[in-house]
Amino acid sequence: MVELKTDTSIDAMHEAGQVVARALTAARQAAAVGVSLLELDEVAHGVLREADATSPFLGYHPSFAPTPFPAVLCVSVNDAIVHGIPGRYRLRDGDLVSIDFGAELGGWVGDSALSFVVGTPRAADLRLIETAERALAAGIEAAVVGNRIGDIAHAIGTVCRGAGYGIPDGFGGHGIGRRMHEDPGVPNEGRPGRGMRLRHGMVLAIEPMVIAGGTDGFHAAPDGWTLKTNDGSRAAHAEHTVAITESGPRILTAR
């Protein structure tokens, strides 16, 4: 069931989204050669505490995971696509890092992600990240009243496939509101004109993921959470929480 949010509720979700934006910005600024992933998690946790917000990630335990998620920030490095658990690994020059973060404030949730390179970037990594961001922008542009979920999926998939990249099968965006994951699902590839029609008050987390090697295969790491590319190639992830409104898409997690 899809809950349509009121304009007042969307404003409240924007407040939660801005906590997310501040945390991602702070973690990105803190990321440097020699910094541990646990330290990035603590930076993001500090933003939550300052905002008197809570984490929808910490303790989250979906059916596929062997244990509850133990952190507030997902940090996925190099061939990790999403859901990386922050640990003692220290960032190295040239690492491609994807960070994903959520915040709950006043009963509403925001969710966003970005990718970047620590230290000296490879041109191929910059192109991968740029494509993920371009796919996100295309998906957001299609998120207008009267369009359908398939139009968002098609816009994302067209950018990703056009660049020669893989798309992790079965993973994509989702509705969001009182809970982090709500209906409807938002695939990263699909046919235009298909699926649920978009209405004023729907709020979606739109999140393309791209695999540099061009294949779609992935597997879970031994921790049961981190998803890694089968071919060992690098991956990038971009995400925003977006409200569908009569005046156009409103990015609630804009940084």
Side-chain angles (χ1 to χ4, degrees):
M1 179 177 176
V2 175
E3 177 193 4
L4 297 180
K5 280 71 175 179
T6 65
D7 292 346
T8 300
S9 296
I10 290 172
D11 286 342
M13 289 192 70
H14 178 261
E15 294 301 312
Q18 290 309 291
V19 176
V20 175
R22 292 197 299 273
L24 287 175
T25 297
R28 169 67 184 92
Q29 290 173 344
V33 174
V35 173
S36 75
L37 306 190
L38 281 172
E39 289 174 298
L40 297 185
D41 184 69
E42 181 52 36
V43 168
H45 212 153
V47 174
L48 280 180
R49 288 191 290 265
E50 290 173 4
D52 199 23
T54 58
S55 171
F57 289 15
L58 183 63
Y60 181 58
H61 195 178
S63 58
F64 68 81
T67 58
F69 196 76
V72 303
L73 185 71
C74 293
V75 190
S76 306
V77 181
N78 296 332
D79 63 338
I81 307 167
V82 287
H83 303 164
I85 296 176
R88 297 186 182 280
Y89 176 83
R90 293 190 176 276
L91 294 170
R92 301 171 183 173
D93 186 53
D95 277 346
L96 195 167
V97 182
S98 298
I99 53 177
D100 189 353
F101 185 80
E104 182 175 347
L105 182 69
W108 296 102
V109 179
D111 186 11
S112 184
L114 61 90
S115 296
F116 56 89
V117 176
V118 173
T120 308
R122 306 178 187 178
D125 289 343
L126 294 179
R127 179 173 176 268
L128 185 70
I129 293 167
E130 186 273 335
T131 300
E133 293 286 351
R134 190 157 45 87
L136 175 59
I140 293 171
E141 185 177 0
V144 297
V145 172
N147 271 0
R148 294 182 180 271
I149 292 292
D151 296 310
I152 298 175
H154 178 71
I156 293 170
T158 297
V159 172
C160 298
R161 295 299 188 191
Y165 295 136
I167 301 172
D169 185 39
F171 278 84
H174 49 88
I176 186 171
R178 293 285 185 183
R179 293 175 290 111
M180 180 167 57
H181 293 125
E182 298 183 351
D183 291 332
V186 186
N188 284 331
E189 192 168 29
R191 297 178 63 182
R194 299 297 183 91
M196 182 177 294
R197 191 174 296 279
L198 304 179
R199 299 169 60 189
H200 179 91
M202 292 176 66
V203 182
L204 308 174
I206 300 173
E207 52 176 324
M209 308 159 196
V210 287
I211 298 174
T215 62
D216 299 349
F218 62 90
H219 61 277
D223 62 25
W225 272 101
T226 308
L227 301 183
K228 307 189 79 171
T229 63
N230 281 351
D231 61 8
S233 66
R234 295 186 169 201
H237 179 204
E239 178 184 17
H240 272 309
T241 296
V242 181
I244 312 299
T245 78
E246 292 289 354
S247 58
R250 180 182 177 188
I251 303 174
L252 305 181
T253 48
R255 294 181 290 276

